[in-house]
Amino acid sequence: MTAGKLRILQVMRAPVGGLFRHVADLTRELSGHGHSVGLVVDSLANDAQTESRLTELAPHVALGIHRFDMPRVLGRGDLITPLAVRKLAKSLDINVLHGHGAKGGFYARLARLGGSKAVAIYTPHGGVLHFDKSSASGRVFHMLERWLMGQTGAIVFESAYAQATYGGLIGAPTCPTRVIHNGLAADEFVPVPANADAADFVFVGELRDLKGIHVLIEALAGVRRADGSPATLVMAGDGSSRDALVAQINQLGLEARVSLIGAQPARPSFARGRIAVVPSLAESLPYIVLEAAAAQLPVIATRVGGIPEIYGPTSSSLIAANDAVALQGAMQAALDAPEATRQEAVQRAAYIAERFSLARMAGDIEALYAELTAPA
């Protein structure tokens, strides 16, 4: 190995959502800095969209993309895959095993059992933090977290909120920890102007209950423009709650006011609306808030997870989650005071540009790798 250059395996289950965005960005940056990176993913994650994402990342993955059985909850793969990852790490002479999410974190650390020389780093990305400690699954996962602490070189939290939540659920980590916020590339701070026919509001994300989509539709029903006409909404995304969402839209008679355009890239979708809405019931440090705010869209969001860390000096604008009345009020206020809404968006974008860059995120993680792998 060239001095200072590392051989790294990024381990995750499914290449979807913000977790994959984080891993993909980190992989490109590490590869660009001369490190050799490999990727471990679930063997069942092979739909067309997943394959397209992995194909795009392949030029940056010098150590290859490796697929193993990674059941969503608990299954046979949980006994076999850690051994396969350990064997792979040995054959590739890996220095760093970085597990992302609950399953990626388990496999990366379990792979160290048996005396592996690789250091294991873990980033929860929500994952195990979303399991209630009173549930059977929560008790199992939280017990595993405590048991694996001895195999953990460091835990990277993407928000101070995640760090505090982990401590409350699992206990104070006995290994080093870092809070390293997600970051955006320079071109993501270029403003996205609204299309001429843009809706009043835009939602970009998964169509599932946890994202607060039903609260959003309920709130939209009472929102009006200055001329008294009803406000409109574009929703870019797909997911398990789509059918229930369509039923709710029809029940409230909002078919002409809500456009469902399916899963779409974020930045082009931002141009479809003038104000972004992120009504999530729970989050860690959501990329969609970072992306929309960096693009200088006004963003209406809930006070959950690490979102206050993104909002910084504008955090007083955040609203309570699962509160249709509060959301309706925030949406109406944004339409009623467009200049104040725009000024707040500019202020928020400037705050994010200083603190949430991809260069800073990758640099801080790379420095942690170097620290943990340095000769004693």
Side-chain angles (χ1 to χ4, degrees):
M1 182 185 72
T2 304
K5 302 307 178 186
L6 299 172
R7 299 175 68 81
I8 305 158
L9 267 186
Q10 304 285 350
V11 186
M12 62 181 178
R13 197 184 73 82
V16 296
L19 187 155
F20 179 66
R21 159 72 196 264
H22 174 90
V23 172
D25 285 348
L26 179 59
T27 295
R28 291 187 180 97
E29 289 290 303
L30 291 170
S31 176
H33 293 178
H35 303 291
S36 298
V37 185
L39 194 62
V40 174
V41 299
D42 182 16
S43 59
L44 298 180
N46 55 7
D47 59 88
Q49 189 174 50
T50 292
E51 292 305 315
S52 174
R53 288 171 173 159
L54 292 176
T55 298
E56 290 177 4
L57 194 57
H60 307 280
V61 186
L63 300 182
I65 297 173
H66 308 271
R67 301 171 187 265
F68 300 108
D69 182 13
M70 297 184 181
R72 188 174 184 86
V73 185
L74 294 173
R76 181 172 175 271
D78 295 321
L79 300 176
I80 298 172
T81 296
L83 298 176
V85 174
R86 183 175 66 184
K87 182 179 179 180
L88 176 67
K90 183 177 180 180
S91 69
L92 293 176
D93 195 26
I94 294 298
N95 307 108
V96 176
L97 285 160
H98 192 159
H100 299 267
K103 281 305 178 77
F106 289 153
Y107 295 146
R109 291 175 291 171
L110 284 170
R112 288 199 72 256
L113 294 175
S116 171
K117 70 172 187 178
V119 63
I121 296 172
Y122 168 44
T123 303
H125 295 283
V128 71
L129 307 182
H130 290 158
F131 288 91
D132 192 299
K133 60 183 178 182
S134 65
S135 69
S137 295
R139 288 193 295 271
V140 169
F141 281 119
H142 296 164
M143 178 189 69
L144 286 170
E145 282 290 331
R146 287 185 282 270
W147 178 62
L148 287 169
M149 192 66 69
Q151 301 299 325
T152 309
I155 303 177
V156 175
F157 296 102
E158 65 271 35
S159 66
Y161 163 81
Q163 184 180 47
T165 302
Y166 187 96
L169 289 173
I170 314 300
T174 57
C175 64
T177 64
R178 299 286 191 280
V179 174
I180 301 177
H181 290 129
N182 296 332
L184 302 180
D187 59 3
E188 293 180 276
F189 289 92
V190 177
V192 175
N195 295 339
D197 60 348
D200 298 296
F201 301 99
V202 59
F203 167 91
V204 182
E206 291 183 83
L207 301 185
R208 58 188 183 114
D209 294 352
L210 192 67
K211 297 301 181 181
I213 55 175
H214 299 297
V215 182
L216 173 56
I217 296 302
E218 183 180 348
L220 176 72
V223 180
R224 296 288 184 273
R225 299 170 180 152
D227 63 6
S229 61
T232 55
L233 167 69
V234 167
M235 301 186 76
D238 207 347
S240 58
S241 298
R242 180 185 172 91
D243 290 346
L245 180 69
V246 170
Q248 181 188 20
I249 291 168
N250 293 340
Q251 181 182 16
L252 294 175
L254 303 178
E255 301 93 329
R257 297 173 57 186
V258 181
S259 299
L260 302 179
I261 62 174
Q264 302 285 338
R267 281 181 67 85
S269 298
F270 293 153
R272 305 287 295 267
R274 302 181 189 282
I275 301 167
V277 187
V278 185
S280 300
L281 308 187
E283 288 286 0
S284 182
L285 193 84
Y287 270 105
I288 197 62
V289 175
L290 283 172
E291 292 169 326
Q296 293 192 20
L297 260 74
V299 185
I300 297 170
T302 49
R303 186 177 292 277
V304 297
I307 295 179
E309 295 168 55
I310 298 173
Y311 266 52
T314 65
S315 61
S316 61
S317 297
L318 294 168
I319 61 171
N322 203 24
D323 186 336
V325 174
L327 181 55
Q328 179 180 326
M331 294 168 71
Q332 189 65 61
L335 292 183
D336 291 344
E339 182 56 27
T341 299
R342 188 194 68 80
Q343 289 178 1
E344 182 178 299
V346 172
Q347 180 186 13
R348 188 176 301 128
Y351 179 82
I352 292 171
E354 292 180 2
R355 294 164 177 82
F356 294 86
S357 72
L358 176 55
R360 170 183 271 191
M361 179 195 86
D364 287 351
I365 293 175
E366 184 180 17
L368 178 62
Y369 289 173
E371 176 185 332
L372 295 174
T373 57

